[in-house]
Amino acid sequence: MVDGEKASAPPLLRLETLLALGLDQRTAENALVNSKVTANLAAVVAEAGITGCDKSVGNLLYAIKNPAQLDAALSFLTNTGPESLDIGKFEEACGVGVVVSIEEIQSTVSEVLKENLEAILEQRYHINVGGLCGQVRKRHPWGDAKATKEEIEKKLAEILGPKTEADNVKPVKKKKEKPAKVEEKKVAVATAAPPSEEELNPYTIFPQPAENNKVHTEIFFSDGNIWRAHNTKEILEKHLKATGGKVMTRFPPEPNGYLHIGHAKAMFIDFGLAKERNGHCYLRFDDTNPEAEKKEYIDHIQEIVKWMGWEPYKVTYTSDYFQALYEHAVELIRKGLAYVDHQTAEQIKEYREKKMDSPWRDRPIEESLQLFEDMRRGLIAEGAATLRMKQDMQNDNKNMSDLIAYRIKFTPHPHAGDKWCIYPSYDYAHCMVDSLENITHSLCTLEFDIRRPSYYWLLVALGLYQPHVWEYSRLNISHTMMSKRKLNRLVTEKWVDGWDDPRLLTLAGLRRRGVSATAINSFIRGIGITRSDNSLIRVDRLEYHIREELNKTASRTMVVLHPLKVVITNLEDGKVIDLDGKKWPDAPADEASSYYKVPFSKIVYIEKTDFRVKDSKDYYGLAPGKSALLRYAFPIKCTEVIYGDNPDDIVEIRAEYDPSKTSKPKGVLHWVAQPAPGVEPLKVEIRLFEKLFLSENPAELEDWLGDLNPHSKEVVKDAYAVPSLATAVVGDNFQFERLGYFAVDTDSTPEKLVFNRTVTLRDSYGKAGPK
């Protein structure tokens, strides 16, 4: 990179410049032929502040051949400066004279993969490629890192073949059989690897703030020029002084909708890194679009962030910095790096596709300054002008094609009021506010990777502090929709019952369904913080973590969804026996709070599906002449079936109970009884939810609305519950035995409780969860 205070990239070196560095005529001429070598050398020369030097120094600079050496050189010069340059130390620090051939890299990669072959075959594409690269780097610190990674990936593909579906799913560790005692130690050594540091602490991959002086990214221009974005020693020292060396992150949602589970991953990374490093995380509202933002969304986001267990250092708004952003825009125009443009959106798109400059790109600076002032004062019509950054219209990266910095909108701002009628774009404001807030780690999803050059272009052009940018894979979960635009459509067109519909994976919907923040964060930690491809994660993985959490926190109780009346003929009329039901499977006998009262009376209700007229060997429910055990109560035996108007309409069963419990039936049924003679059991409403979409990845479908599951919600109006559930309140979770985990819904009233099924007891493969 050029010095951060310069407005443009360093010019490619001329012959006389190279000769002034002490290079001989032939070496200088050969260097000029290779534009990449010349650009590399230009960046180092600019950073070192050298315009002329003796031959030994010039040859040292010329000897820097690859990015690893260049980064070391820039870091060395940033920390020492040209005034105290020690050639010997410089040579040692940069590996000058060390050349690692591609053949050496290939040979070492083969050795490393051979040494790790057992782990590779076991873990396949889940093997830590970064760890393999690190092993190669230890042997060749000055080898080309990119070539090393490419060679490793190539060799892995040769060894393992194409990726299978299983390679995209995190494998479940199987329990190993106990080996013979003699071989126990040997087997453990061969197969049981301790968890990596990254698995124990996912934040170890991020550098410390004081290390933020290395090259962030290379910005390539169509004319062959290269900027190497990094902080100078002075800029970094100023930043560290302002922050006290602390990690500073930000969670920057746009307040144009409710947050979903993808935002939970962003929070886990942004807030989690700051917490782990004893730093701070801002909650910053990216409110650059006044037409889409609402106070409802702002209030929701603040409340849900707190519910997820995170505490912001400060709550800020991009609009807090509108004045500073405007002043920097004026500075950009003065430097000749921004201009007022009058092209329409269609013309801008056309010119970008054709890599053509706007007709107004080279207008005089003073003219752009006056027009931008007119824009600010509201003297130019909406859509008639924009301010564009003068980047590189011929660049292959369309995110360098003179992005729009400001546009005119005669719309009052929810936070800033009516002070402004020009608003900054995301591409202009985002990086600038990161810098103004002294953010150390700017973390975002992988789709923003292509915007890195424009992010750093603006900070370099203005000589501002540059945060460390890192992108991670976006969270994609099966059978749902994560696009805010499509979620908004589902809500506004009433395909679902609001932003907190329990079928949605919005955080409000998950909470209403009965999912805890702990379970969500556990799920996020389980999938990890990686830059892997955006593979689709099955919703079953989320449900696993939900079950694990609810198994520990949800007390057990009994509810009958579709009641079938059972008359206990050998129990005297009016008699009610109070039994104890266990709230927890391991409830101690002497702890009354771990039990709830279950009345057993002459009229009992079981599930309709727990009775069959025709019995079979593999059926453990109730049938004529067959017995089943009522949970926490007595065995009962069906003695008679009472039919309605047709043979399929069973209205009542008559049974006898075994007060001595001498019979031992295999089947165990949940049930609810009349709490007193003639008194109906507690009636509750139950809502059963299934996947919202039929397809695993509805986002790929053109007619995604046509893929909505018509059976995603079933309402059972008159289920029966045990009396103790009458005191349940919103926020309470229960395991309804044999049915699943349920939570009290916000639609509950004093007259009638409503429960949402959070998750079934078994996953979609039929595997039972904890009991």
Side-chain angles (χ1 to χ4, degrees), residues 188-242:
V189 172
T191 60
S196 67
E197 187 178 3
E198 187 176 320
E199 287 175 320
L200 293 173
N201 180 358
Y203 305 108
T204 56
I205 58 177
F206 299 113
Q208 296 292 340
E211 298 172 344
N212 193 8
N213 56 5
K214 299 176 182 178
V215 174
H216 295 117
T217 193
E218 291 180 324
I219 306 171
F220 295 96
F221 290 84
S222 56
D223 62 0
N225 222 339
I226 303 173
W227 291 8
R228 288 185 173 81
H230 79 286
N231 289 311
T232 62
K233 182 180 180 181
E234 295 74 22
I235 288 177
L236 183 58
E237 285 178 348
K238 182 180 177 182
H239 159 78
L240 293 173
K241 185 178 179 181

Side-chain angles (χ1 to χ4, degrees), residues 85-285:
L85 183 64
D86 183 311
I87 295 174
K89 290 181 179 179
F90 178 80
E91 181 175 356
E92 183 181 353
C94 306
V96 170
V98 179
V99 178
V100 182
S101 68
I102 190 64
E103 289 79 14
E104 288 178 290
I105 290 175
Q106 290 171 343
S107 175
T108 304
V109 166
S110 295
E111 290 174 10
V112 168
L113 295 187
K114 188 175 180 181
E115 293 166 5
N116 292 270
L117 186 58
E118 186 176 347
I120 291 169
L121 293 175
E122 181 182 349
Q123 300 175 41
R124 290 185 57 80
Y125 286 100
H126 298 289
I127 192 77
N128 186 343
V129 174
L132 297 175
C133 288
Q135 293 180 45
V136 176
R137 197 179 305 118
K138 283 182 181 178
R139 304 177 199 190
H140 296 305
W142 307 115
D144 189 311
K146 184 179 179 183
T148 299
K149 185 172 183 290
E150 288 175 350
E151 182 64 20
I152 288 174
E153 290 174 342
K154 174 186 168 187
K155 291 289 187 185
L156 286 176
E158 291 174 2
I159 295 169
L160 302 173
K163 278 190 177 183
T164 65
E165 187 176 345
D167 289 325
N168 293 320
V169 180
K170 191 172 181 179
V172 178
K173 291 183 179 178
K174 294 181 180 178
K175 288 185 177 179
K176 298 184 179 72
E177 292 182 9
K178 272 194 174 181
K181 221 172 187 182
V182 181
E183 299 179 19
E184 188 171 353
K185 189 173 181 181
K186 189 183 291 183
V187 172
V189 172
T191 60
S196 67
E197 187 178 3
E198 187 176 320
E199 287 175 320
L200 293 173
N201 180 358
Y203 305 108
T204 56
I205 58 177
F206 299 113
Q208 296 292 340
E211 298 172 344
N212 193 8
N213 56 5
K214 299 176 182 178
V215 174
H216 295 117
T217 193
E218 291 180 324
I219 306 171
F220 295 96
F221 290 84
S222 56
D223 62 0
N225 222 339
I226 303 173
W227 291 8
R228 288 185 173 81
H230 79 286
N231 289 311
T232 62
K233 182 180 180 181
E234 295 74 22
I235 288 177
L236 183 58
E237 285 178 348
K238 182 180 177 182
H239 159 78
L240 293 173
K241 185 178 179 181
T243 63
K246 283 185 175 291
V247 164
M248 306 291 290
T249 61
R250 82 288 177 273
F251 173 58
E254 185 178 356
N256 62 352
Y258 277 47
L259 302 187
H260 55 63
I261 196 167
H263 294 102
K265 180 174 182 179
M267 279 187 257
F268 182 84
I269 298 172
D270 293 325
F271 284 101
L273 172 60
K275 184 177 181 180
E276 193 271 336
R277 299 280 179 88
N278 195 29
H280 299 300
C281 182
Y282 287 90
L283 168 57
R284 183 206 305 157
F285 289 104

Side-chain angles (χ1 to χ4, degrees), residues 296-452:
E296 172 194 353
Y297 301 142
I298 291 173
D299 293 342
H300 156 73
I301 290 170
Q302 292 194 69
E303 188 269 332
I304 211 74
V305 165
K306 186 175 181 181
W307 177 74
M308 284 296 299
W310 307 116
E311 190 65 40
Y313 168 57
K314 288 181 182 177
V315 176
T316 61
Y317 298 78
T318 296
S319 55
D320 294 339
Y321 303 93
F322 275 0
Q323 184 61 40
L325 295 175
Y326 169 77
E327 291 169 3
H328 280 304
V330 172
E331 181 185 354
L332 211 58
I333 297 171
R334 292 190 188 280
K335 290 189 172 195
L337 293 174
Y339 61 98
V340 172
D341 187 37
H342 302 289
Q343 287 186 300
T344 64
E346 292 76 17
Q347 289 171 330
I348 290 174
K349 182 180 179 183
E350 178 189 353
Y351 275 54
R352 279 178 175 162
E353 289 173 352
K354 295 179 178 178
K355 296 186 176 182
M356 292 170 53
D357 289 348
S358 164
W360 289 278
R361 194 176 199 266
D362 295 320
R363 74 190 325 160
I365 288 174
E366 291 303 321
E367 190 175 309
S368 279
L369 284 171
Q370 183 57 55
L371 286 167
F372 190 50
E373 174 64 13
D374 291 346
M375 287 170 62
R376 186 188 69 81
R377 294 172 59 197
L379 301 178
I380 299 178
E382 189 169 323
T386 58
L387 182 70
R388 295 177 67 183
M389 295 176 270
K390 193 182 286 188
Q391 295 169 306
D392 184 9
M393 286 297 295
Q394 286 70 48
N395 204 301
D396 290 333
N397 184 345
K398 297 303 179 187
N399 286 283
M400 285 291 288
S401 299
D402 290 10
L403 300 181
I404 291 173
Y406 271 88
R407 71 275 199 217
I408 302 167
K409 284 184 182 289
F410 293 110
T411 304
H413 192 280
H415 187 67
D418 57 3
K419 181 180 179 181
W420 300 91
C421 62
I422 56 170
Y423 293 101
S425 67
Y426 171 88
D427 292 296
Y428 176 79
H430 186 67
C431 61
M432 198 103 63
V433 179
D434 276 354
S435 182
L436 293 173
E437 289 187 339
N438 275 302
I439 299 303
T440 57
H441 300 77
S442 180
L443 310 171
C444 51
T445 47
L446 273 171
E447 64 263 33
F448 291 96
D449 179 63
I450 197 171
R451 295 188 180 188
R452 247 206 228 196

Side-chain angles (χ1 to χ4, degrees), residues 740-754:
Y741 293 100
F742 292 77
V744 182
D745 187 71
T746 51
D747 285 344
S748 296
T749 65
E751 291 74 33
K752 194 170 190 178
L753 286 167
V754 178

Side-chain angles (χ1 to χ4, degrees), residues 55 79 307 341 352 398 549 640 684 686 697:
K55 187 172 182 178
N79 292 322
W307 177 74
D341 187 37
R352 279 178 175 162
K398 297 303 179 187
E549 175 67 16
E640 186 180 357
V684 295
I686 306 293
N697 194 0

